Structures are given as C-alpha cells and as structure tokens.
Amino acid sequence: MENKEEKVNKPYLHNLYNEEQQKKLINWHNNLDTNKGLRAELKRSSSPLEAMLCQATHSLKREFHYWPDKPEIIASIAGILALVKVDTGVNGISYATQLAKPKEGNKSPLSESRFKKIIKSQTWNEFYMNIRRSVEILKGQVNICSLADGIIQWGKKNKSDEVAIGSESLEFQWAQDYYNEFSKHNNN
C-alpha cells in the first residue's frame, strides 16, 4: 500500500517510486560531494561507456544491483547525475516539467527544438549527450529521482518485453509534462 501511495504523490516516477530506492539514489549523489575527484571523473564522461569506466558508477551499480540488466542505464544515470549540483526533488515537479518552467521571465529554459532532440534520440550516446546538455541548461538544478527514472524508462524501451506504448511511454509522458508547462508561458 505504501508504494502505491508514494506513486500517486509522484506520478512521474514509474521505476523509482519506492522511497527506499529514492533515498539510496539521493545518498549516492550526496556522496559525490564528499569525493570531488569521483564527481569530476564522471562529469568528464562524454558517453555511457566513459561513465562505465568510473569507480563511482560501480558504486551506484552495487546499490542498485536489481535494476534492469543494461549497463548503459547505470552508466548514464551516474554520468548525468554527476552534473547535478542541486536536487530539486523536494519541489515535486518532474524533470520534463522543469525543462519548460521558466526561472526568470517567461522563457522556458529548454527550447522546443532541444526538447524534441531529447525525445527523438535514437542511440545511447545521442540520448546521453542531449540529457547532459539539458542538465547544463538547467544549471545543474534537477529532480534527480525523476531524471533517473526517465533514464531507466528510456533504457527499458530497447527491451521488447518491457516497451511501454502510447500514453505509457516515456516520450509521451515527457511531452505531456513539458508542453503542459510550456503552454502556460508561450501563447502560440
């Protein structure tokens, strides 16, 4: 029952709706602050493969040994979350909503064209680089659980037995979150 309640409170989480998993991820991220060398090494990773060659990625992998058996998922989460300076999860909005929510003025941080590049990513390297750019555009202020959950969903789409379709797909969910916020600030 507790898991279902948590999922209702954070509907954008489909894989990390368990509070214990969220705490583990947040603790792993916070531990990067105590070892700047590990964070720096991950931040320099320009691909999931480069992130997989970092010690901190394997630390994350040990924490989440039960996650899908796709090393690209863990490597991407580690490499991308190393860029996050502030976890904004307490504000309760999804990563995709953050991409459209203006911080100053009425302009969304991420343009529609950049958002579409993320959604249309075809390879791990393309997805990884597009997400990294978005985190940089958000100045490292991201809901890490929402972003990690999205990376897991994107990775699962390559497994035919776990592919979500229609409104259950990551692309549909992110588009809905992004444009719900984007339309509030852009009267086109």
Side-chain angles (χ1 to χ4, degrees), residues 64-123:
F64 293 97
H65 58 86
Y66 47 83
W67 273 0
D69 189 26
K70 283 192 137 309
E72 296 93 339
I73 292 173
I74 295 286
S76 295
I77 289 170
I80 292 167
L81 292 188
L83 297 171
V84 176
K85 298 172 187 170
V86 177
D87 176 17
T88 62
V90 295
N91 70 15
I93 64 171
S94 72
Y95 158 75
T97 300
Q98 289 180 280
L99 297 174
K101 188 172 184 70
K103 292 188 182 204
E104 299 170 5
N106 282 338
K107 188 176 178 196
S108 296
L110 195 76
S111 69
E112 281 185 275
S113 61
R114 282 197 185 267
F115 177 71
K116 288 177 182 178
K117 281 183 180 182
I118 292 171
I119 294 297
K120 293 179 180 181
S121 296
Q122 296 294 310
T123 66

Side-chain angles (χ1 to χ4, degrees), residues 8 14 17 29 31 33 37 61 79 86 95 110 117 125 128 142 145 148 151 163 170:
V8 169
H14 299 275
Y17 54 85
H29 182 261
N31 286 336
D33 290 335
K61 187 177 179 184
V86 177
Y95 158 75
L110 195 76
K117 281 183 180 182
N125 286 348
Y128 185 88
V142 175
C145 289
I151 293 168
V163 173
L170 172 67

Side-chain angles (χ1 to χ4, degrees), residues 11-52:
Y12 50 81
L13 296 179
H14 299 275
N15 297 281
L16 286 173
Y17 54 85
N18 178 297
E19 195 172 315
E20 182 181 327
Q21 291 178 332
Q22 293 171 29
K23 285 180 183 176
K24 280 184 177 182
L25 184 65
I26 291 165
N27 287 337
W28 175 85
H29 182 261
N30 290 341
N31 286 336
L32 290 178
D33 290 335
T34 61
N35 192 329
K36 303 287 186 197
L38 292 178
R39 181 185 292 274
E41 183 181 31
L42 277 173
K43 285 172 76 171
R44 288 189 299 270
S45 302
S46 62
S47 70
L49 175 58
E50 286 184 20
M52 186 53 86

